[in-house]
Amino acid sequence: MYGYFLDNIDIQGLGGVVASPDNSTPGGSYYYHWERDGALSMNALQLITNYTEFNSYLQSYVGWVLNVQNEPDPNNIDVRVEPKYMLPYGDVYTGSWCRPQTDGPGLRALTLLNYANTLLANGQSSYISQYLWTGNPSSYNGGAIKYDLDWIVDNWQQQGCDLWEEIESTDFFWNRFTMKASLFVGYQFAAKMGDSSSAQSYLQTAQAINSTLLNHWNGEFIFESTNREEDAAVILAFNDGYSDDGFLSPTDPKVLGTINTLNSLFYFSFPINQADSTNGVPGILYGRYQGDTYAGGNPWILTSASLAQLFYRGATGFVGQNVVPTKDTLAQWQQIFLRISGEHHSIRKLQSYSPLEFSRLVSSAGDAVLNRIAYHTKSSGFHQPEQLDKNTGAEASATDLTW
């Protein structure tokens, strides 16, 4: 699968990331660089490889970002919140689409911040001062990172599109949670760069955003927006927007409530989930949101895999902190294990587990989700499509989705 991923990045050596090489999907061609998808894919590359392996790819991506950040916008919006660009050269897509997409600058900044911190650790500060944080507004608008972060400071309450590019709001959980993360990391990085003014601005804005996030808690789950509540975008946010500050961590009761809500939604929405469980195939397949109709409204690989990632992060937390779940969350974990792994654990039994034993249970839930994905994609050599048919589990929609 890694080879398929590499085929989709650094297109023609110019840094672009193709969403999918598929030119014929229910939504038309996917042969574009989406700002969101590209940022998330290049961040993933950094997570799964090391500096020696990803450095050349990230340098190409930096070149791409600087190019598209500094081109005129033909759609009369800020080019930083365009949804997608043509490949291989980065011309702005001018067709009808949901605009602006306000999650883009934060996701892109976060990817570049992670790269910049690695560069610092490897003694490459000159590259940062040349391209990523120039300290000079006339040189790449202060740098690729600063230019995107400054957009968030000025515009985080702006109306924009959801993760799935279908509806608009000023207050999507995905957008705000990931914005907060980028600003929090940006605040720390600006301080390293000796820019106390920007550091203070980023911290204050991150705190302002953070103060709004629990408005998305309805007592049962975290909802994405008032015009679309049960949405797996929230699960992706818990992973991609976590600030390592304990707030809405993978083992937080509000996160667990959200998992159980979405487990019920998608289990009963997709016949394939029920059939797999009946046939002894553990796991669950997630879709996008309640009532999705795109391409028939199917399970998506990326949302399902994000659930697995959340479990693995939770398992790591239990071991790393040498703690077990709080008593008030045991019933939620009990529901999760029953749905995902088909295993019933009594509350008394759950209370008896050590941190390592409980961690193994949680990681096995992640394994179950990935095993269900593998069960349906192994026949194709593990090419990962965008979707799986909700009735049969057959691969559906775009082939070899990058993100």
Side-chain angles (χ1 to χ4, degrees):
M1 294 192 301
Y2 181 53
Y4 307 144
F5 175 84
L6 291 181
D7 287 343
N8 288 358
I9 67 174
D10 197 18
I11 302 301
Q12 294 188 29
L14 297 174
V17 177
V18 66
S20 162
D22 197 335
N23 286 297
S24 180
T25 80
S29 175
Y30 276 30
Y31 202 84
Y32 299 98
H33 175 109
W34 264 265
E35 186 167 315
R36 171 193 311 105
D37 299 31
L40 291 167
S41 297
M42 297 309 291
N43 202 45
L45 179 67
Q46 296 178 81
L47 291 173
I48 62 175
T49 59
N50 58 45
Y51 173 68
T52 301
E53 292 180 73
F54 67 64
N55 186 45
S56 63
Y57 289 112
L58 264 294
Q59 287 196 4
S60 288
Y61 178 66
V62 169
W64 170 277
V65 172
L66 291 171
N67 175 45
V68 299
Q69 278 183 336
N70 292 279
E71 61 183 337
D73 189 276
N75 299 311
N76 298 314
I77 63 171
D78 192 309
V79 73
R80 288 171 287 183
V81 288
E82 281 288 351
K84 60 182 183 177
Y85 306 85
M86 308 291 286
L87 288 164
Y89 299 112
D91 298 325
V92 176
Y93 177 75
T94 58
S96 177
W97 212 259
C98 192
R99 297 182 178 90
Q101 297 200 6
T102 58
D103 59 343
L107 295 171
R108 191 164 60 187
L110 192 56
T111 294
L112 295 181
L113 281 162
N114 290 336
Y115 180 45
N117 279 317
T118 302
L119 288 171
L120 281 178
N122 284 273
Q124 300 297 317
S125 58
S126 60
Y127 185 90
I128 297 171
S129 61
Q130 187 173 1
Y131 299 115
L132 300 177
W133 196 281
T134 67
N136 181 358
S138 64
S139 177
Y140 297 119
N141 301 291
I145 292 172
K146 191 175 190 305
Y147 195 41
D148 276 343
L149 292 176
D150 287 349
W151 185 92
I152 304 174
V153 171
D154 294 335
N155 301 283
W156 67 272
Q157 298 181 82
Q158 178 178 320
Q159 177 119 340
C161 302
D162 72 311
L163 171 61
W164 312 119
E165 308 178 311
E166 295 177 346
I167 60 175
E168 295 185 40
S169 172
T170 59
D171 188 12
F172 289 113
F173 182 82
W174 158 263
N175 296 41
R176 290 199 174 185
F177 203 63
T178 54
M179 285 178 181
K180 174 218 168 181
S182 65
L183 287 168
F184 189 71
V185 178
Y187 138 72
Q188 296 170 316
F189 187 77
K192 292 178 185 177
M193 295 296 100
D195 189 342
S196 58
S197 176
S198 291
Q200 186 67 13
S201 175
Y202 299 157
L203 178 59
Q204 289 176 344
T205 307
Q207 292 170 333
I209 296 173
N210 199 57
S211 70
T212 72
L213 292 173
L214 285 186
N215 294 335
H216 289 259
W217 171 247
N218 65 7
E220 296 181 14
F221 61 92
I222 298 289
F223 63 88
E224 172 65 354
S225 62
T226 55
N227 52 343
R228 182 179 288 154
E229 295 194 344
E230 295 184 24
D231 191 326
V234 171
I235 299 295
L236 275 70
F238 292 149
N239 287 320
D240 296 314
Y242 184 60
S243 299
D244 201 25
D245 56 359
F247 181 65
L248 296 178
S249 74
T251 59
D252 186 287
K254 295 180 178 64
V255 172
L256 302 181
T258 305
I259 292 172
N260 275 315
T261 295
L262 294 176
N263 280 352
S264 294
L265 168 65
F266 294 124
Y267 179 81
F268 292 107
S269 295
F270 301 141
I272 190 60
N273 272 327
Q274 299 161 55
D276 281 349
S277 295
T278 299
N279 293 327
V281 181
I284 193 169
L285 298 172
Y286 267 25
R288 296 194 301 173
Y289 55 82
Q290 185 179 35
D292 186 13
T293 60
Y294 173 61
N298 296 306
W300 280 51
I301 298 285
L302 68 90
T303 55
S304 305
S306 188
L307 175 65
Q309 181 184 3
L310 196 58
F311 286 139
Y312 292 135
R313 289 179 51 233
T316 301
F318 285 130
V319 171
Q321 299 171 35
N322 196 34
V323 296
V324 293
T326 56
K327 290 182 179 180
D328 62 324
T329 66
L330 290 177
Q332 292 175 312
W333 282 112
Q334 183 184 50
Q335 289 180 317
I336 287 170
F337 297 142
L338 185 60
R339 175 66 68 207
I340 300 294
S341 305
E343 300 173 350
H344 174 72
H345 298 266
S346 69
I347 297 297
R348 178 176 294 183
K349 187 176 182 181
L350 291 175
Q351 286 179 310
S352 71
Y353 290 135
S354 69
L356 179 58
E357 289 170 331
F358 204 92
S359 172
R360 286 172 174 163
L361 276 181
V362 178
S363 64
S364 69
D367 291 345
V369 175
L370 293 187
N371 283 335
R372 186 168 287 194
I373 294 172
Y375 179 79
H376 292 290
T377 59
K378 63 183 177 182
S379 63
S380 69
F382 296 105
H383 286 270
Q384 299 298 303
E386 180 182 68
Q387 303 173 43
L388 298 171
D389 186 273
K390 64 184 175 185
N391 295 303
T392 67
E395 298 183 29
S397 193
T399 59
D400 286 335
L401 197 75
T402 311
W403 167 36

